[in-house]
């Protein structure tokens, strides 16, 4: 008899949205409140792992075609190039800057280049965590 | 008076966690242990909420949702391992 987990699939469809929204909130709150790239990426990886738990690997790979090893590599490259961008303008390596801009909806907002470094950290964390979990938990080689 | 109430409720939550740890150690089947671990997670959430009220800060509110998410995913993973034998299936 084929196993049937309707309750788990339905709860996952609702909870994955909440987990991804919470991870984006943690990522953007990292400059002034607790949060940041590392924990935001780890929460996103937890949401992806919940999708892998609820559905099978083939369906997730068909609907979410992301190579997580390349994602980790791209994250490290972004983090390095944001450090090199400080050297282009004559400062030290990993020199960060920020400025105040007028954005139509938000009004005057502080935009910092540390967000780009955080994007690299988050992509590296997501790629590493999901790669480890999916590679050690496959049931057949 | 308010501090005494908060500390008293933290002590009661600690007793609940200790009783859950007794169930984790003693529990005859592994389903008992998984349920006790889930209950420990919920008690930790309540403890963090009371502690952040006691410390008069809102720096720990993200931690509440985070422990909820991680406890949920961990319990589902344990339940799938007990029922099916594998955690993530290749093809259903």
């Amino acid at each position: 008899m084929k196993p049937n987990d309707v309750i788990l699939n339905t709860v996952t469809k609702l909870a994955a949205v909440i987990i991804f929204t919470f991870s984006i909130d943690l990522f953007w709150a990292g400059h002034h409140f607790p949060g940041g790239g590392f924990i935001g990426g780890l929460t996103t990886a937890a949401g992806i792992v919940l999708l892998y738990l609820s559905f099978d690997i083939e369906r997730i790979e068909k609907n979410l075609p992301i190579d997580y090893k390349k994602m980790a590599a791209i994250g490290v490259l972004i983090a390095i190039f944001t450090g090199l961008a400080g050297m282009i303008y004559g400062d030290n390596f990993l020199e960060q800057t920020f400025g105040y801009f007028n954005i139509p909806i938000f009004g005057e907002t502080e935009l910092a280049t540390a967000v780009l470094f955080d994007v690299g950290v988050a992509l590296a964390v997501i790629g590493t965590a999901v790669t480890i979990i999916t590679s050690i938990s496959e049931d057949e080689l | 008076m308010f501090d005494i109430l908060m500390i008293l409720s933290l002590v009661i939550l600690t007793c609940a966690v200790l009783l859950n740890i007794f169930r984790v150690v003693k529990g005859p089947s592994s389903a008992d242990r998984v349920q006790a671990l889930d209950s420990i997670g919920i008690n930790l959430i309540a403890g963090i909420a009371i502690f952040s009220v006691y410390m008069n800060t809102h720096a720990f509110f993200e931690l509440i949702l985070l422990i909820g998410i991680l406890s949920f995913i961990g319990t589902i993973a344990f339940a799938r391992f007990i029922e099916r034998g594998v955690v993530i299936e290749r093809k259903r």
Side-chain angles (χ1 to χ4, degrees):
Chain A
M1 182 181 151
K2 210 169 159 216
N4 178 12
D5 33 32
V6 179
I7 297 176
L8 179 59
N9 290 347
T10 312
V11 169
T12 299
K13 281 172 194 165
L14 202 66
V17 178
I18 300 172
I19 292 173
F20 288 141
T21 313
F22 177 58
S23 71
I24 292 169
D25 173 63
L26 272 180
F27 177 77
W28 287 110
H31 204 64
H32 296 288
F33 297 105
F38 185 78
I39 191 66
L42 216 55
T43 316
T44 310
I48 294 171
V49 167
L50 178 61
L51 288 178
Y52 271 112
L53 282 175
S54 176
F55 305 101
D56 47 342
I57 290 179
E58 287 192 353
R59 198 186 300 180
I60 299 295
E61 280 178 351
K62 201 181 80 180
N63 289 308
L64 202 67
I66 299 172
D67 191 356
Y68 291 101
K69 299 185 199 70
K70 284 179 187 168
M71 194 179 197
I74 288 170
V76 174
L77 282 180
I78 288 173
I80 288 175
F81 280 124
T82 54
L84 288 177
M87 295 176 75
I88 292 173
Y89 289 101
D91 289 325
N92 292 322
F93 182 59
L94 288 176
E95 187 86 30
Q96 307 283 343
T97 181
F98 63 97
Y100 293 94
F101 298 98
N102 272 318
I103 295 177
I105 297 172
F106 298 103
E108 188 171 356
T109 313
E110 179 189 359
L111 293 180
T113 57
V115 174
L116 296 174
F117 185 76
D118 248 2
V119 168
V121 172
L123 287 181
V125 168
I126 294 169
T128 311
V130 178
T131 302
I132 289 172
I133 289 173
T134 55
S135 60
I136 67 173
S137 65
E138 286 182 358
D139 48 350
E140 58 193 29
L141 293 173
Chain B
M1 182 63 199
F2 188 71
D3 290 351
I4 293 172
L5 271 180
M6 290 293 121
I7 290 174
L8 190 66
S9 48
L10 278 179
V11 168
I12 292 171
L13 277 173
T14 309
C15 294
V17 170
L18 286 177
L19 289 174
N20 276 318
I21 287 174
F22 171 73
R23 177 51 68 192
V24 169
V25 174
K26 186 84 187 327
S29 68
S30 44
D32 290 327
R33 295 190 171 95
V34 171
Q35 267 200 337
L37 284 175
D38 196 22
S39 176
I40 285 175
I42 293 168
N43 281 323
L44 268 180
I45 291 171
I48 290 168
I50 291 171
F51 184 72
S52 59
V53 170
Y54 175 63
M55 294 295 282
N56 201 5
T57 176
H58 61 274
F60 302 127
F61 284 178
E62 281 89 0
L63 201 56
I64 294 173
L65 202 47
L66 200 63
I67 290 181
I69 288 168
L70 292 183
S71 168
F72 174 64
I73 292 174
T75 308
I76 284 177
F78 271 124
R80 286 189 75 87
F81 180 70
I82 289 171
E83 190 183 359
R84 306 270 170 82
V86 292
V87 177
I88 298 177
E89 290 171 330
R90 164 59 63 179
K91 181 169 173 50
R92 190 161 300 158

